[in-house]
Amino acid sequence: MADSQPGSQHGAIDSVLNETRVFPPPAPERAGTPRWLVSSMDEYRAMHARSIEDPEAFWAEAAGELHWFEPWSKVLEWSLPDAKWFVGAKTNLCYNCVDRHVEQWRGEHIGIVWEGEPMPGGEPEVCRLSYAQLQTETAKFANVLKGRGVKAGDVVTIYMGMVPELAIAVLACARIGAVHSVIFGGFSAQAIADRVVDASSKLIITCDGAWRRGKVVPLKQNVDDAIDKLDANTVETVIVLKRCGNQVSRADGRDVDWHEQTNAASDDCPCAPLDSEHMSFLLYTSGSTGKPKGIQHTVGGFMVYTYLTSKYVFNLIPGLDEPKRDDAQNGQVFWCTADVGWITGHSYIIYGIMPTGVPTLMYEGAPNFPGDDRFWDIVQRHKVTQFYTAPTAIRAFMKWGDKHPKKHDLSSLQVLGTVGEPINPEAWMWYHRVIGGETCPIVDTWWQTETGGHMLTPLPGVTPTKPGSCTLPFFGIDAAIVNDQGKELPKGSGGLLAIRKPWPSMLRGIFGDRERFIETYWSKLPGMYFPGDGAHTDSDGYFWIMGRVDDVMNVSGHRLGTMEVESALVSHESVVEAAVVGMPHEIKGTGIAAFVTLGNGFDPTDDLKAALREHVGKQIGAIAKPDQIRFTGALPKTRSGKIMRRLLRSIAAGETLVTQDTSTLEDYAVVAKLQESEEG
Ligand code: WT7
């Protein structure tokens, strides 16, 4: 069991938690909110009950709000751990995100609002793409992909900054049934190489660079370095979008220019009718072993679930059934601040949001460029109505000070969301007060790369909220707290979080590793999905997530395996052995602490610490750089040779060891030394 408690990393606010304040849903008078889609808790409970008792009817109705080229013969075929949703049906994600709006009456409406990071002459660079333009651009780029030999089912790697062409590339893949594997721009060349090899991907789409806090991240250079690391010359094409104007190399025959290609391409490329169970994308995420796993998602089930969660959890009301009117988009603008390189960006920048017909905002850069108020400046200028971000960002905003949001008019906001890690009540209260003006509902959404969409979440304007709780299950989700035998525990107990019924956007596998799929998710608890989180319920049946129960850390809302970081450290010539644990961190939620044993002839210097941090950055990416490195003569181990991680976690957190049971510890001297060793 993880030994963390919600909020316990942030001691000062435990008092807030103990009061367990309940925030009743705000009235719809909140400026501009048209209405709340679900009107009462009774209605939520009735809909939830129906979704559990008759899931096929419930999901058929939801799916009916989207376009299908051919209908399903059966809504669900379930044989644990294999689910098939909308069996035999044919549909297309790009069609439902883009073409459908054009074919209805929304072609000239804005689908994507994009803002670049640079502010040339103080003016933001903004680009608004209508659904009709998106149709043309995705069709052209889909033809470029086809021209380079890409077929349905082939894996296309995307390693780009947050530019509109990233969304176009993703949607173009969806258009023709190519499987995209988007790699976050913060990952290193080694991480790209690992993912390209695992997915046998022959085509990479990248940019010359990406803007980040006024500097250029050399994306193309990282791709070149990744390709150099491959044993065989398997990458046939690299498509390069010029964004930053930095110098990049161009390998003959392999590297081609985005614009040269699209200018020459036809805009005639109908959306392929794909089987509902066709693989739409792979997204690599960390697990408890050293190797990231490629999570597989589908077309039909993923589409229906991310659409329905987008609609209800963010209260998106585009007026689908209304004829053309000036305010047909109800003035809503949805902004999710995640990068498309994470599942949050897949589901809630693109695939779930776009079918609703509400414009989705993409911002290219850092929250503090050119000033600490950039996000609030964006909210004001674009009149953002839904704002979805991570607790780690909220904690940074708090630290930067209230004066930044206070400079801006945030009254357009209707719903605030958070995702990625437990939100400490202090951050929740700040979000509620300073950003939401005490009237905006906050939706704390618990879910995972594997679940595809929100699983536990309030419905805005409906569910009374409690700071730090992700409240209740979404429609169709049967969640419970169980013990390690899978036995359900009564309300108010702590244990393992389990999901007992299949849902449309559940992962269908780990790419190329059936055994790991079964072992990780379907073997721990009999007959249930095991997400790897510890949680408890309270007397109202509200869920409180306590954190991972496996060797996975949640750093700034991003998942990293301790073994991944350990392997990276051990691959440095100086390191003999390394143990990595999470530790409380004011902004990141969890920081990374590394305990390192050096080989003969290496001195434990600050320079070496810096070199090791750089090395981990090169092996994985900057997010994996340890916050603390401690050199130690040996690691504390049990008599059977297991590293005592619990003990290391205590040391990293700066706790005294009196409370720890060290009776099985092999060498007390090791612990004493570690406690003395200076951190940093
Ligand atoms: C892990 C999944 C889902 C997109 C972002 C992260 C933690 C996620 C919450 C939340 C408490 C949360 C869990 C989960 N987590 N959302 N609202 N409250 N914890 O996706 O990288 O797949 O990580 O993030 O521990 O298992 P991911």
Side-chain angles (χ1 to χ4, degrees):
M1 261 330 284
D3 28 21
S4 61
Q5 291 290 327
S8 65
Q9 297 171 359
H10 311 272
I13 41 71
D14 278 352
S15 54
V16 181
L17 180 62
N18 290 339
E19 276 174 44
T20 323
R21 289 181 60 179
V22 180
F23 290 80
E29 291 91 72
R30 167 87 203 178
T33 304
R35 64 178 194 277
W36 302 118
L37 277 170
V38 175
S39 60
S40 67
M41 276 309 268
D42 283 348
E43 190 182 346
Y44 157 74
R45 288 192 200 281
M47 284 175 78
H48 186 261
R50 178 166 167 262
S51 72
I52 296 296
E53 281 151 25
D54 194 353
E56 301 206 19
F58 181 89
W59 289 112
E61 197 179 296
E65 296 181 26
L66 298 163
H67 178 84
W68 301 79
F69 296 105
E70 280 174 40
W72 49 90
S73 56
K74 220 170 163 235
V75 174
L76 170 65
E77 236 173 66
W78 173 232
S79 164
L80 186 140
D82 299 305
K84 282 190 181 151
W85 284 89
F86 309 107
V87 183
K90 300 234 183 315
T91 187
N92 186 290
L93 277 158
C94 185
Y95 188 90
N96 278 285
C97 288
V98 176
D99 297 56
R100 181 163 147 271
H101 299 308
V102 179
E103 244 123 88
Q104 291 180 333
W105 43 268
R106 215 177 261 140
E108 300 313 311
H109 284 193
I110 302 305
I112 296 179
V113 184
W114 174 84
E115 182 162 318
E117 188 190 78
M119 301 266 276
E123 285 304 309
E125 186 185 352
V126 174
C127 154
R128 292 188 174 83
L129 289 165
S130 69
Y131 294 108
Q133 284 170 312
L134 284 164
Q135 186 180 39
T136 306
E137 295 306 319
T138 54
K140 278 189 172 183
F141 194 67
N143 277 330
V144 170
L145 293 175
K146 278 186 178 171
R148 304 299 299 190
V150 175
K151 291 187 200 56
D154 290 350
V155 179
V156 168
T157 299
I158 302 180
Y159 180 70
M160 300 171 82
M162 283 282 285
V163 286
E165 289 85 352
L166 166 55
I168 291 167
V170 161
L171 290 164
C173 288
R175 212 170 169 87
I176 58 173
V179 177
H180 54 72
S181 163
V182 184
I183 303 175
F184 171 56
F187 279 121
S188 68
Q190 186 60 52
I192 304 168
D194 294 344
R195 286 156 176 78
V196 164
V197 168
D198 188 79
S200 309
S201 178
K202 296 192 204 128
L203 188 144
I204 304 178
I205 309 166
T206 190
C207 300
D208 53 359
W211 288 113
R212 190 75 193 174
R213 215 161 282 125
K215 295 210 175 75
V216 175
V217 182
L219 298 182
K220 171 60 164 60
Q221 184 61 53
N222 291 348
V223 168
D224 289 343
D225 294 349
I227 293 173
D228 283 346
K229 290 178 194 292
L230 304 179
D231 292 337
N233 234 342
T234 47
V235 175
E236 293 164 5
T237 303
V238 178
I239 303 177
V240 186
L241 176 84
K242 292 204 184 81
R243 165 62 187 150
C244 300
N246 52 318
Q247 275 293 311
V248 295
S249 66
R250 184 164 177 166
D252 269 350
R254 188 195 73 188
D255 297 355
V256 296
D257 179 81
W258 175 290
H259 288 295
E260 282 169 23
Q261 295 288 314
T262 49
N263 288 344
S266 146
D267 62 3
D268 180 20
C269 179
C271 294
L274 300 167
D275 190 276
S276 177
E277 283 294 315
H278 181 81
M279 200 201 310
S280 53
F281 65 87
L282 277 176
L283 187 56
Y284 284 85
T285 187
S286 299
S288 47
T289 71
K291 197 172 162 256
K293 44 196 180 184
I295 302 299
Q296 290 171 226
H297 281 290
T298 61
V299 172
F302 178 78
M303 173 176 80
V304 172
Y305 195 84
T306 54
Y307 162 72
L308 207 75
T309 47
S310 296
K311 173 177 162 176
Y312 283 111
V313 175
F314 300 120
N315 201 58
L316 300 182
I317 311 176
L320 250 194
D321 45 10
E322 288 157 36
K324 197 159 185 160
R325 302 185 330 206
D326 287 348
D327 65 342
Q329 280 171 300
N330 269 326
Q332 288 186 326
V333 176
F334 176 89
W335 183 20
C336 164
T337 69
D339 192 284
V340 172
W342 308 105
I343 190 70
T344 311
H346 282 61
S347 302
Y348 301 111
I349 292 178
I350 301 179
Y351 287 128
I353 304 298
M354 293 190 72
T356 68
V358 170
T360 182
L361 190 145
M362 273 175 89
Y363 167 58
E364 181 180 34
N368 51 356
F369 187 89
D372 289 349
D373 66 335
R374 182 63 184 269
F375 272 18
W376 319 122
D377 184 31
I378 292 175
V379 169
Q380 174 175 335
R381 276 188 289 102
H382 295 282
K383 298 198 171 47
V384 171
T385 47
Q386 276 79 6
F387 178 75
Y388 191 33
T389 197
T392 185
I394 298 170
R395 289 191 294 268
F397 301 144
M398 284 173 75
K399 201 172 169 187
W400 297 341
D402 294 11
K403 63 175 189 284
H404 302 294
K406 294 237 156 96
K407 272 191 278 193
H408 298 276
D409 177 6
L410 306 181
S411 63
S412 57
L413 291 168
Q414 298 171 6
V415 178
L416 301 176
T418 117
V419 59
E421 51 177 319
I423 182 165
N424 48 304
E426 190 185 38
W428 195 102
M429 288 302 299
W430 184 87
Y431 202 27
H432 169 74
R433 198 168 43 78
V434 182
I435 306 305
E438 298 190 7
T439 53
C440 240
I442 295 180
V443 289
D444 175 354
T445 58
W446 176 86
W447 58 295
Q448 309 179 292
T449 305
E450 291 88 338
T451 69
H454 304 143
M455 302 292 278
L456 301 173
T457 175
L459 296 185
V462 182
T463 315
T465 46
K466 302 180 192 183
S469 169
C470 54
T471 74
L472 298 167
F474 187 73
F475 304 132
I477 302 307
D478 179 17
I481 303 293
V482 300
N483 67 12
D484 50 16
Q485 313 296 309
K487 189 178 162 292
E488 182 168 10
L489 301 174
K491 262 189 196 172
S493 318
L496 301 173
L497 179 60
I499 310 294
R500 298 183 292 195
K501 278 196 162 60
W503 66 100
S505 63
M506 61 202 289
L507 80 163
R508 298 300 195 271
I510 293 176
F511 194 64
D513 203 341
R514 174 89 181 159
E515 236 168 82
R516 191 172 174 195
F517 169 60
I518 294 171
E519 146 76 22
T520 311
Y521 307 108
W522 302 102
S523 306
K524 300 260 176 358
L525 305 171
M528 298 169 218
Y529 171 77
F530 173 60
D533 278 345
H536 71 88
T537 47
D538 62 19
S539 53
D540 292 325
Y542 275 36
F543 286 85
W544 300 75
I545 304 295
M546 295 193 287
R548 305 287 310 189
V549 296
D550 50 11
D551 291 325
V552 169
M553 298 174 289
N554 191 325
V555 180
S556 300
H558 300 313
R559 223 202 283 188
L560 275 174
T562 51
M563 272 179 67
E564 237 177 307
V565 184
E566 286 164 6
S567 315
L569 284 165
V570 172
S571 73
H572 191 269
E573 52 169 4
S574 68
V575 179
V576 171
E577 197 176 25
V580 164
V581 294
M583 58 171 214
H585 188 285
E586 195 193 346
I587 301 290
K588 299 179 181 181
T590 302
I592 303 174
F595 296 83
V596 171
T597 308
L598 295 176
N600 283 337
F602 290 95
D603 293 332
T605 61
D606 284 348
D607 282 352
L608 184 54
K609 279 186 187 172
L612 289 176
R613 283 171 46 81
E614 281 315 303
H615 180 72
V616 173
K618 278 232 161 65
Q619 292 294 308
I620 304 173
I623 49 168
K625 287 183 184 175
D627 296 278
Q628 274 187 14
I629 295 180
R630 294 168 199 240
F631 294 120
T632 167
L635 290 168
K637 290 183 186 165
T638 61
R639 286 179 209 285
S640 62
K642 273 183 75 179
I643 292 173
M644 302 184 77
R645 292 178 176 280
R646 193 165 52 94
L647 195 62
L648 293 180
R649 273 200 291 272
S650 296
I651 295 170
E655 289 164 17
T656 55
L657 294 178
V658 194
T659 53
Q660 293 277 344
D661 175 13
T662 52
S663 56
T664 52
L665 189 65
E666 187 59 20
D667 179 2
Y668 281 93
V670 171
V671 182
K673 274 228 185 81
L674 277 171
Q675 270 199 299
E676 281 164 18
S677 81
E678 202 196 327
E679 55 179 68

